[in-house]
Amino acid sequence: MAHVTVIPIMLITSFFQCKTLFSTSLASEQQDVGDAPELRNTMWISKHEPGVILSWNNNLTKEEIEKYTVKYILSYKFFNTTHENEERLQKKKKRINLNLHSGFNAKVKTQLFSKETDDVIKESGWTEFTYKAPPVYIQNFSCIIYNISFFNCTWYIKAEAPEDIQIFFSYRHIGKDFDCQQYIKNARKKNIGCHMKEIYFQPSRKINLNITVRDMKNNSRLSYYKIFTPQTIEKLNPPINISVSLENRSIQIHWKPPPTIGSASSKCFLYEVKITDLKIVNVTGEKYEYPFHKPARKCAAQVRVKKEKCIRNKIWSEWSEPVFIDHEKTVDVMLLSLTLFCLLIFLGGLLILACRRYQCLEVITMPVPHPSDNIKSWLVADNTTRYWNQMSMQREMYSDATVGIPEENGDENIQQKCLKEPGLEDL
């Protein structure tokens, strides 16, 4: 009993000793950090087309860097936007693509973590930085790929842009540079878009766009850059082979996905189905079934598609051409068929009852009697009479044919001819 009591006491004593040692160690760490100078950061920018590199540094000592885990929190927001980007980094720099933004506000914070517990030992305050980019004279820049090989980009020129500027467009893909094939111009002969055709993209390779604003008067220029992944800007054609049918009191719609520059797997597509007077629904497969009870006179079904699963794409295709189904006519045919079937059964029942009442079945099924012996004798006599009459006619014909033959040979020839006739040799 004494041994059983001593063991728990020893365990509890050891636990408190370990806790005391850990707390003393943690307190000494915090005291060492507290005695160190306050953490401060400095930030600066270096250009790296098509963006900038934001870098920072702090006043941590070499011993602190080796003793603790150092991490940074970076937050930045572009001018004239509400979305704030926040990232946790271990490096002391971040590449930021401007994407036609005129600048951004950024701030960074340094944190020290214990390597044993991942607890925050110390952190700095926020260090803020503002970067103003060269003036941007274009806005609302957007690009779209459609019909597999057609590529369109459009933009607007700001009102404050100098009068003598002109916009030029090019892009780089799979290591090759391409200039605009056909510019779209406004009333002032300024380029506000670019149309290209017979362009083929590799879905996994990015498109690096270069928009150059050139001042024709001062012969100066500014370049802006934007990066796209082809599949994210592809506008698909509407689904194909759409069929609508009415089966088992439900509308059934079937279709096939359109061609695409990327993966054509069925799991990549998201569809929307629109039926007359019904709410639009999302569908992941290639068919949709909707049960109904009171169909309208006519029903039109349409489908559109975009890529959602394999890669996120916000661009919906156009709605397909409406496919109609006339519910009323379809229902009338069904009712007519059912009515005719019931009528046939009713008439068949009446016919069976009438036949039983008037013994029609007995008359129809009565066996045919065999002919009597008198009838057989009459038929045989009639055949014999007709046979001898035919023979008499043939003799007269032969007699007429032998007129004018010499007398000495006449009888012999007639006799031979008569004997050759079928049936005369037996007589």
Side-chain angles (χ1 to χ4, degrees), residues 54-69:
L54 176 64
S55 305
W56 57 89
N57 206 346
N58 48 54
N59 59 342
L60 290 175
T61 63
K62 184 177 179 179
E63 291 77 11
E64 288 175 326
I65 295 174
E66 293 177 352
K67 188 174 183 180
Y68 305 106
T69 301

Side-chain angles (χ1 to χ4, degrees), residues 18-29:
C18 292
K19 184 176 180 181
T20 303
L21 291 173
F22 175 75
S23 300
T24 304
S25 175
L26 183 59
S28 62
E29 286 184 1

Side-chain angles (χ1 to χ4, degrees), residues 98-116:
L98 294 175
N99 291 331
L100 299 179
H101 294 289
S102 57
F104 59 85
N105 292 314
K107 56 184 180 180
V108 69
K109 177 190 289 189
T110 303
Q111 291 182 324
L112 299 181
F113 291 86
S114 172
K115 291 185 177 181
E116 289 79 12

Side-chain angles (χ1 to χ4, degrees), residues 213-262:
V213 179
R214 183 176 299 172
D215 191 330
M216 309 303 291
K217 183 177 181 180
N218 300 326
N219 198 24
S220 61
R221 67 179 185 177
L222 293 172
S223 294
Y224 309 107
Y225 302 90
K226 199 170 181 67
I227 299 176
F228 288 115
T229 301
Q231 291 188 80
T232 60
I233 59 173
E234 181 186 15
K235 182 177 182 179
L236 298 172
N237 290 329
I240 58 177
N241 298 336
I242 300 176
S243 62
V244 180
S245 60
L246 186 66
E247 300 178 13
N248 300 324
R249 303 291 293 175
S250 66
I251 300 172
Q252 295 191 7
I253 308 171
H254 298 264
W255 60 83
K256 292 295 181 183
T260 175
I261 61 175

